[in-house]
Amino acid sequence: MKRAYHLGIIGHPVSHSLSPIMHRLAGEAAGLDVKYEAFDTSPRELGGFFDRMRTGWLDGINVTVPHKLAVIEYLDGLEPEAARVGAVNTVFRRGDKLIGDNTDGYGFLHSLRENAGVDPGGLRVFMYGAGGAARAVAFALAGAGANLVIANRDGGKAIKLAEDVGRAGGAAETADWNALNLIDSVRAADIIVNTTTVGMKGSGEGALPAMQGIHEGQVAADIVYRPLRTPFLQAAQARGARALDGLWMLIHQGAASFTRWTGEAFPVEAARARLLAELGESNS
Ligand code: ATR
């Protein structure tokens, strides 16, 4: 008898999520009977969803936009990472309790190490953005010993994030999104990360400032994966930097969730090939 897991993802909307494809593939690879569904759940349906989950209906879920913060009040506990970041992307069971975890930061850090071959410890990282995704990335980078410079269109959010990272023992300062000398901060970085939604398919207009500061020898990482080669990554590559696309982060956060639920390894390379095909991209 194969071990059976009933899993899923909640978001709103969620129909474009790649998670069902990669977790079903992982289930097959591990010889498990995995049912992974996408649950389009509106904010006012969240309470009912978790009441039902508590009855044993589901073994685990991923959580995506816009519920990563809102789900916390329905859970019985948080792993330290989720508590630090203040957001949950994975829910699992511990006995009869529902526990929230956050594997986004791990996913990003692991993609940097495994797929770009860079350990950020002691390096300077310039980060565009201070939203929800930025928080997970910032805590992971700071926890790994990176020195962060955070710039966000809404500067108040950058200051808040830098303060939170500092309180957690990390090194983070801010730079002014609109300042002429922002280019100096970009130039001085070893790694440049876009955590904003700028460049994401369907997200409208918007541009990242000071990209002229990017140069050879740097790593440019985007957490956006639709399109795979974002305008930011294209510009960075044209300026001689190495590019790390956001699909690797998606895969590694999924891998950590899958292992958390099942205890089994996740087929990273096979998932990459499958998702590239799904996105209509060739392997790179
Ligand atoms: P997520 O959970 O995906 O991080 P979010 O919390 O809404 O989503 O954060 C979106 C990020 O993209 C923020 O840093 C946001 O900047 P603001 O805090 O100033 O809103 C950034 N962002 C979105 N659209 C942008 C644009 N057109 N120009 C610059 N930054 C933008």
Side-chain angles (χ1 to χ4, degrees):
M1 251 302 260
K2 287 182 179 178
R3 267 172 23 235
Y5 292 90
H6 192 182
L7 307 168
I9 180 165
I10 54 167
H12 190 60
V14 76
S15 60
H16 291 302
S17 171
L18 296 175
S19 293
I21 295 170
M22 73 171 165
H23 286 288
R24 286 173 198 154
L25 180 144
E28 272 174 43
L32 304 173
D33 178 9
V34 166
K35 184 174 173 191
Y36 190 107
E37 297 182 84
F39 300 104
D40 194 323
T41 311
S42 71
R44 58 179 181 77
E45 293 169 323
L46 273 187
F49 184 94
F50 283 98
D51 285 347
R52 205 173 153 206
M53 185 165 174
R54 209 168 253 105
T55 65
W57 169 49
L58 293 170
D59 300 301
I61 53 161
N62 283 128
V63 182
T64 189
V65 178
H67 301 317
K68 288 186 179 186
L69 274 69
V71 296
I72 291 175
E73 68 172 288
Y74 303 106
L75 302 177
D76 304 305
L78 295 179
E79 289 288 90
E81 178 69 8
R84 237 190 325 270
V85 175
V88 164
N89 80 330
T90 306
V91 178
F92 66 97
R93 296 182 165 284
R94 184 177 287 145
D96 60 353
K97 303 259 191 289
L98 297 179
I99 310 294
D101 198 0
N102 193 314
T103 65
D104 286 331
Y106 162 87
F108 180 76
L109 198 55
H110 207 64
S111 74
L112 206 51
R113 287 179 173 147
E114 290 291 309
N115 309 111
V118 181
D119 189 297
L123 298 187
R124 281 166 300 200
V125 179
F126 179 91
M127 230 178 75
Y128 290 106
R135 291 186 68 83
V137 169
F139 280 100
L141 284 168
N147 299 302
L148 302 182
V149 176
I150 303 169
N152 192 52
R153 181 178 58 178
D154 173 349
K157 276 162 72 177
I159 292 170
K160 165 89 169 60
L161 178 53
E163 282 173 357
D164 290 350
V165 168
R167 257 193 296 276
E173 51 186 84
T174 58
D176 186 344
W177 184 267
N178 293 310
L180 284 177
N181 65 359
L182 188 68
I183 194 169
D184 296 331
S185 302
V186 172
R187 201 177 277 131
D190 302 295
I191 301 167
I192 302 149
V193 188
N194 175 39
T195 71
T196 75
T197 52
V198 172
M200 190 186 285
K201 193 175 156 191
S203 79
E205 293 303 300
L208 301 176
M211 284 199 295
Q212 305 88 322
I214 301 175
H215 57 80
E216 201 180 331
Q218 294 175 315
V219 172
D222 208 323
I223 70 165
V224 171
Y225 56 85
R226 262 195 191 106
L228 197 65
R229 296 280 153 207
T230 59
F232 165 65
L233 291 184
Q234 286 182 27
Q237 269 183 317
R239 303 190 65 85
R242 275 192 298 143
L244 175 68
D245 65 65
L247 191 61
W248 282 120
M249 172 180 173
L250 179 81
I251 291 169
H252 290 303
Q253 65 76 32
S257 301
F258 184 81
T259 302
R260 164 66 85 183
W261 296 320
T262 67
E264 301 290 339
F266 185 93
V268 167
E269 296 298 332
R272 171 91 180 172
R274 180 71 183 77
L275 295 188
L276 284 175
E278 187 66 24
L279 292 171
E281 302 274 355
S282 59
N283 208 344
S284 55

